Amino acid sequence: MSSIQGKVIVITGASSGIGEATARLLAERGAHIVVGARRTGRLGKLVADISAKGGSARLRAVDVTSRKDTQALVDFTKAEFGRVDVLVNNAGVMPLSPLSALKVEEWDQMINVNIRGVLHGIAAVLPDMKARGGGQIINVASIGAHVVAPTGAVYCATKFAVWAISDGLRQENTDLRVTVISPGVVESELAHTISDAGTAKAMEDYRRISITPDAIARAIAFAIEQPGDVDVSEIIVRPTASPN
Ligand SMILES: NC(=O)c1ccc[n+]([C@@H]2O[C@H](COP(=O)([O-])OP(=O)(O)OC[C@H]3O[C@@H](n4cnc5c(N)ncnc54)[C@H](OP(=O)(O)O)[C@@H]3O)[C@@H](O)[C@H]2O)c1
């Protein structure tokens, strides 16, 4: 039996892309899934699909920039399933642009969703996981946590931060499993948040080699299904065709 079977797993940003694919795969493998995002219509369809296949899933609206909302997602999960075994901090935005475009509100949005959102998730589950002496926090960073490219200064900074927060969390908590998943370019709606026309055009070319989100879902499943004394600290998954 897979060690995913029966686990209670919360996934943020599950209304599309990597989060949605991860919810589908982990539900197929027997986990109880709670999905959160702002677009509840999309989450409703996902939960209906999972349920129709005999899986176990619930949804809750969440804006991860709100600590209260993120705590409510975790409290809802505890009310439904009794505990959280795994939190997948996946919600993210990527409105890329050159710094000279001064899209300061978009910088703030990336900081709020990609960094504060991850911290809110950690704050919501850490006390219970510490009290139980176990649990797993999986943070979705990016290849942008390792390399910086023009137009990606702020986005990459947020993902460097996710990497640093994850490694600090891991070092401070030898009773918990902490995993960073760093995808390369993956088919999703992530580039839809780019408002800078030149960057959006360049991204169309860059994203032609995208792999499908289920490749990242499989990496997340691998990290979860290892025995309790094995912490998969980081997995980088990129297209074979990726030069960087
Ligand atoms: N696709 C790639 O090439 C790639 C590469 C490296 C890393 N990543 C990372 O992978 C993660 C998932 O992205 P994706 O590629 O699957 O993109 P996506 O299809 O755009 O999914 C992003 C998810 O984040 C959610 N989200 C955004 N803002 C939110 C907020 N304030 N509160 C709650 N949820 C919010 C969105 O849901 P709502 O809009 O419904 O709230 C959506 O479900 C992100 O952290 C991204 O940085 C992706």
Side-chain angles (χ1 to χ4, degrees):
M1 191 159 68
S2 154
S3 62
I4 291 170
Q5 177 83 36
K7 281 204 167 144
V8 179
I9 303 179
V10 178
I11 306 171
T12 67
S15 58
S16 60
I18 292 168
E20 178 184 340
T22 302
R24 290 184 190 279
L25 179 67
L26 297 177
E28 265 172 34
R29 305 273 290 271
H32 302 288
I33 303 295
V34 177
V35 288
R38 294 164 304 172
R39 291 172 295 174
T40 48
R42 299 274 290 259
L43 294 179
K45 183 170 180 322
L46 173 62
V47 166
D49 283 356
I50 290 173
S51 303
K53 290 182 181 152
S56 169
R58 306 278 192 281
L59 73 89
R60 171 134 189 146
V62 66
D63 182 338
V64 297
T65 66
S66 156
R67 182 177 176 193
K68 198 166 151 232
D69 253 29
T70 313
Q71 185 67 57
L73 171 69
V74 166
D75 291 346
F76 169 77
T77 306
K78 282 169 16 193
E80 292 287 309
F81 295 117
R83 64 187 189 280
V84 175
D85 293 312
V86 183
L87 169 66
V88 184
N89 267 321
N90 166 73
V93 291
M94 191 190 69
L96 301 176
S97 61
L99 290 169
S100 58
L102 292 187
K103 290 188 179 280
V104 178
E105 284 179 12
E106 293 183 351
W107 302 349
D108 287 345
Q109 188 199 6
M110 283 187 274
I111 291 165
N112 287 336
V113 178
N114 300 1
I115 303 177
R116 290 205 168 89
V118 165
L119 288 169
H120 292 155
I122 292 169
V125 297
L126 195 54
D128 278 359
M129 286 186 178
K130 292 300 285 177
R132 284 173 35 225
Q136 184 169 15
I137 298 175
I138 300 179
N139 296 328
V140 179
S142 170
I143 194 71
H146 296 275
V147 288
V148 183
T151 76
V154 178
Y155 178 75
C156 293
T158 66
K159 295 302 187 176
F160 272 60
V162 171
W163 195 97
I165 290 163
S166 306
D167 209 49
L169 182 68
R170 180 187 66 75
Q171 292 179 35
E172 289 175 12
N173 298 283
T174 51
D175 48 348
L176 306 186
R177 300 199 294 167
V178 180
T179 302
V180 181
I181 301 291
S182 289
V185 60
V186 173
E187 270 175 36
S188 77
E189 299 174 16
L190 194 65
H192 298 187
T193 52
I194 299 174
S195 66
D196 183 71
T199 306
K201 178 77 191 83
M203 274 318 246
E204 272 175 34
D205 292 337
Y206 178 72
R207 295 181 75 78
R208 269 186 228 289
I209 57 167
S210 295
I211 51 176
T212 51
D214 56 284
I216 310 306
R218 291 195 298 275
I220 291 172
F222 174 80
I224 296 172
E225 72 190 357
Q226 299 310 304
D229 61 345
V230 176
D231 178 33
V232 178
S233 307
E234 183 171 15
I235 307 179
I236 299 178
V237 184
R238 46 159 74 89
T240 307
S242 178
N244 50 17

